[in-house]
Amino acid sequence: MLGSNVIVSALEAAGFTHLVWIPDSHIGTWEPELRKSRLTLVRVCREGEAIGLAAGLMLGGARPLVAIQCTGFFEAGDAVRNVAHDLKLPLRLLIGVRSERAARDGKSGDNCPHFAAKLVDAWELIHSRFDPAESTPQQLADVFRKLTEVATASAILWAE
Amino acid sequence: MMTHREVLEVLAAHRNDQVVVTTMGSVAIWPKLSDSPLDFHYIPSSMGQGVPLGLGLCLAKPGRGVIVLTGDGGTLMNLGCLVTAAQFSVPLYILLIDNGLYEVTGGQAVANAGRTDFAAVARGAKIPRVYECASLAEWKAIASESLSGNGPVFVWLMVKGELGQSTPTSPRPMSEQINRLREALK
């Protein structure tokens, strides 16, 4: 499993200026490293709000990453639609997919992995899958590069 | 009771170099009073996202004032944004135009119309400066003070509901608005 120090270093190297986020039981473990990083952390109350806030940051020239669990991504649908397709801003999302590994191993009936994949497709977000338990730092750098090099909104489905 | 237009006329007289983010009903009125590249008509929008968008602009451009014109319906959809904004010391000015109804959908009442104390909600979120105005005279009296200095600032403006309004459109395409705003913020 990639450590939070490796992940946060990769976020910095990818050029993100702000992390707009709501922690979950996986993403939340990064917080001590994030607090030591160059990233400005913006804690919001609800995920749709994270998307609107990221839009304002992008209008002002910043490079935010929105990090949320897939459950919040489901809630944030209209904001994603608006920012990605009305404003056409290059929204960057890291979506923690709850129970992804357990579901893959047949140990969870959680429907989050099923709907997370369907909804990133529905919102026409260019996306990659990434599992920090099975990947190297170089693969992490590659996935962030892919996330940021496209002109349109994009996402990483991050296995939890 | 004052009208929405009267509220914006006072704003036009007191606005300095702040960005003005308009939403819904304000989009139909503000272009008649201002044509600045610092005007951003957030339409098409995601309802309730005007304040988060304004806060994002503040965080990206430290020191730049941002005025957000939001409605009671949009605010009720996203009350948590007041809590989020209160975490930061930024010149964000939230002007809540409260007409008690969903104007462009036929004038249906918002939840708890006329009973919600929005100033108390903002104070409870720990927005440092909160004002409430039920008349044009009250708004004129505090406009200059409320639209200057650091914030966030929350101004609750109670206006007359007007029926028969249609969904407004922005005077410019979104891509042109974004380019204009970004150029003006350089």
Side-chain angles (χ1 to χ4, degrees):
Chain A
M1 177 71 80
L2 294 174
S4 56
N5 57 332
V6 173
I7 293 164
V8 172
S9 293
L11 290 172
E12 288 182 316
F16 293 114
T17 57
H18 296 73
L19 186 74
V20 188
W21 71 316
I22 298 181
D24 68 3
S25 54
H26 176 82
I27 297 170
T29 62
W30 306 347
E31 183 153 22
E33 286 297 328
L34 285 166
R35 293 209 172 278
K36 292 187 272 181
S37 77
R38 293 193 302 270
L39 290 160
T40 299
L41 306 183
V42 184
R43 176 69 47 78
V44 295
C45 298
R46 190 127 181 135
E47 289 83 354
E49 190 193 345
I51 309 300
L53 205 152
L57 284 164
M58 287 185 279
L59 290 174
R63 299 188 63 199
L65 174 68
V66 175
I68 52 179
Q69 196 183 55
C70 60
T71 48
F73 174 66
F74 304 155
E75 182 275 336
D78 185 59
V80 171
R81 176 203 57 77
N82 173 247
V83 172
H85 299 292
D86 290 333
L87 276 60
K88 301 190 190 315
L89 291 171
L91 179 67
R92 308 304 185 205
L93 290 161
L94 187 156
I95 302 167
V97 183
R98 192 179 73 187
S99 310
E100 165 82 26
R101 258 176 249 119
R104 215 188 296 146
D105 296 342
K107 293 176 182 167
S108 171
D110 190 347
N111 57 26
C112 273
H114 174 75
F115 287 111
K118 283 190 178 300
L119 281 166
V120 291
D121 282 337
W123 294 124
E124 298 176 359
L125 302 175
I126 294 170
H127 61 278
S128 306
R129 290 177 172 275
F130 186 79
D131 187 343
E134 298 176 349
S135 304
T136 65
Q138 184 57 52
Q139 288 170 319
L140 177 63
D142 289 343
V143 83
F144 282 142
R145 183 179 45 73
K146 278 176 71 177
L147 180 75
T148 55
E149 72 185 4
V150 295
T152 57
S154 57
I156 298 172
L157 290 175
W158 187 278
E160 294 183 348
Chain B
M1 191 173 265
M2 57 189 155
T3 66
H4 193 154
R5 183 179 172 105
E6 286 170 336
V7 165
L8 299 200
E9 285 172 349
V10 173
L11 172 63
H14 290 87
R15 179 255 193 111
N16 295 310
D17 63 349
Q18 298 107 327
V19 174
V20 173
V21 177
T22 65
T23 63
M24 278 300 169
S26 295
V27 176
I29 302 169
W30 187 246
K32 296 169 185 159
L33 304 170
S34 170
D35 183 24
S36 163
L38 293 171
D39 296 335
F40 183 74
H41 301 292
Y42 180 33
I43 199 158
S45 69
S46 176
M47 198 166 169
Q49 298 299 340
V51 172
L53 189 144
L55 176 59
L57 274 166
C58 281
L59 295 176
K61 291 288 178 192
R64 167 70 69 173
V66 178
I67 298 167
V68 179
L69 297 167
T70 187
D72 45 339
T75 301
L76 288 168
M77 280 199 183
N78 203 358
L79 283 173
C81 73
L82 300 178
V83 175
T84 300
Q87 300 175 105
F88 300 95
S89 178
V90 288
L92 173 66
Y93 310 94
I94 302 164
L95 305 191
L96 168 59
I97 315 286
D98 176 11
N99 59 10
L101 46 81
Y102 297 109
E103 201 168 76
V104 302
T105 60
Q108 303 88 348
V110 300
N112 209 31
R115 298 184 66 230
T116 302
D117 184 342
F118 286 104
V121 172
R123 287 191 189 99
K126 300 298 181 192
I127 298 285
R129 283 196 286 148
V130 177
Y131 303 86
E132 51 188 289
C133 304
S135 71
L136 189 58
E138 287 174 336
W139 171 220
K140 284 180 174 173
I142 60 102
S144 178
E145 176 193 314
S146 64
L147 295 170
S148 58
N150 208 3
V153 173
F154 183 89
V155 186
W156 179 22
L157 298 148
M158 286 156 264
V159 305
K160 195 185 300 178
E162 294 172 60
L163 301 180
Q165 308 299 311
S166 56
T167 304
T169 54
S170 168
R172 290 184 176 77
M174 183 54 78
S175 58
E176 189 180 329
Q177 284 203 81
I178 290 173
N179 291 339
R180 252 169 61 111
L181 177 62
R182 283 179 164 161
E183 194 61 33
L185 289 174
K186 277 183 182 168

